[in-house]
Each structure stands twice: as C-alpha cells, then as structure tokens.
Amino acid sequence: MNLLENLGIKIVEQNKKKVVLEMAIEDKHLQPYKIMHGGLNAVLAETAGSIGANLNIKEDGFAAVGVDIMTHQLNKIKDGIVIAEATPVRIGKNIQTWQAFTHKKGSAISASLSTMTLKKVKVD
C-alpha cells in the first residue's frame, strides 16, 4: 500500500500548472484533540507539488523530489473533506518552487499555506 492509498488521498486534477487533491478526514487523521494533524497539511502540499513538478520534467530517468518544505498552520479542520491546491511559483530546469493551500471543501478559509522546493534527480 502506498501513502495516497493509506491516507485516502485522491487526485482531483493534475497538470503542469495546477494539482488538486482531496482527502476525507477520518479518525486516523486526527490528533487526540479531535482536530486534523497538521503534518497532513504538509503531506498533502508536498504530494501535490511533487505531482505537478514531475509533470514538468521532460526527460526520462529523472524525477522531482522534495528538498525543502515550509508549512504554516493557519486554521484547524475537524471533519469533512480537506482540499489541497498547488501551483508553481517557478519552474526551472533543475529546481522548481511550488506553493499549496489546504482548506475544508466548500470553504475559502485556508487551513495551511506551504511552499516547497523540488529538485530534478536521476532515478535510474
């Protein structure tokens, strides 16, 4: 089982300029205080950014991997579906920077803001 399957993350949209993920919040996603664990905002952000960054790599045998992520927890989410939307800030030849916001589905209030840097590396 991979991370997306284990956490129940679904890809809603994916292209070179935008990636949207969603995850229905379950008990396994909650802290003891019954709010979603903030680390999941980082997981959703880096996953969305990585998907987008890899779509921008044109060469076979290379992949974009995360080298840095900064996540700001802005608001809590207790239930429902969390959405992650990632867009590129800069798409370079070897380094890409993406930003992602998470929010509860149907709400414009952000739960988190993340910025991540991804590097193109040889994988075979």
Side-chain angles (χ1 to χ4, degrees):
M1 179 180 296
N2 67 36
L3 182 67
L4 274 69
E5 291 172 349
N6 189 37
L7 294 175
I9 298 170
K10 296 178 183 171
I11 300 170
V12 176
E13 177 183 346
Q14 61 178 333
N15 61 61
K16 294 178 179 184
K17 297 288 185 182
K18 184 176 182 181
V19 176
V20 179
L21 306 177
E22 72 175 26
M23 181 183 76
I25 298 173
E26 302 174 23
D27 285 343
K28 67 183 175 181
H29 302 128
L30 302 178
Q31 296 181 10
Y33 320 109
K34 300 296 180 191
I35 60 175
M36 187 180 84
H37 191 286
L40 291 171
N41 286 318
V43 167
L44 287 163
E46 187 165 354
T47 301
S50 292
I51 290 169
N54 277 291
L55 290 172
N56 284 294
I57 293 180
K58 299 171 180 75
E59 302 168 67
D60 290 337
F62 287 86
V65 298
V67 294
D68 184 60
I69 184 166
M70 175 69 69
T71 299
H72 301 278
Q73 309 295 344
L74 305 173
N75 289 290
K76 66 182 180 236
I77 299 179
K78 292 181 158 191
D79 56 20
I81 296 174
V82 63
I83 304 290
E85 299 182 44
T87 55
V89 174
R90 182 173 188 283
I91 300 170
K93 181 179 177 186
N94 294 306
I95 298 285
Q96 296 185 51
T97 302
W98 283 68
Q99 69 177 2
F101 291 92
T102 61
H103 60 88
K104 187 172 179 176
K105 189 172 188 173
S107 173
I109 299 171
S110 294
S112 73
L113 163 64
S114 298
T115 304
M116 66 231 75
T117 303
L118 303 110
K119 180 179 180 180
K120 181 174 81 172
V121 297
K122 191 160 181 58
V123 292
D124 49 21

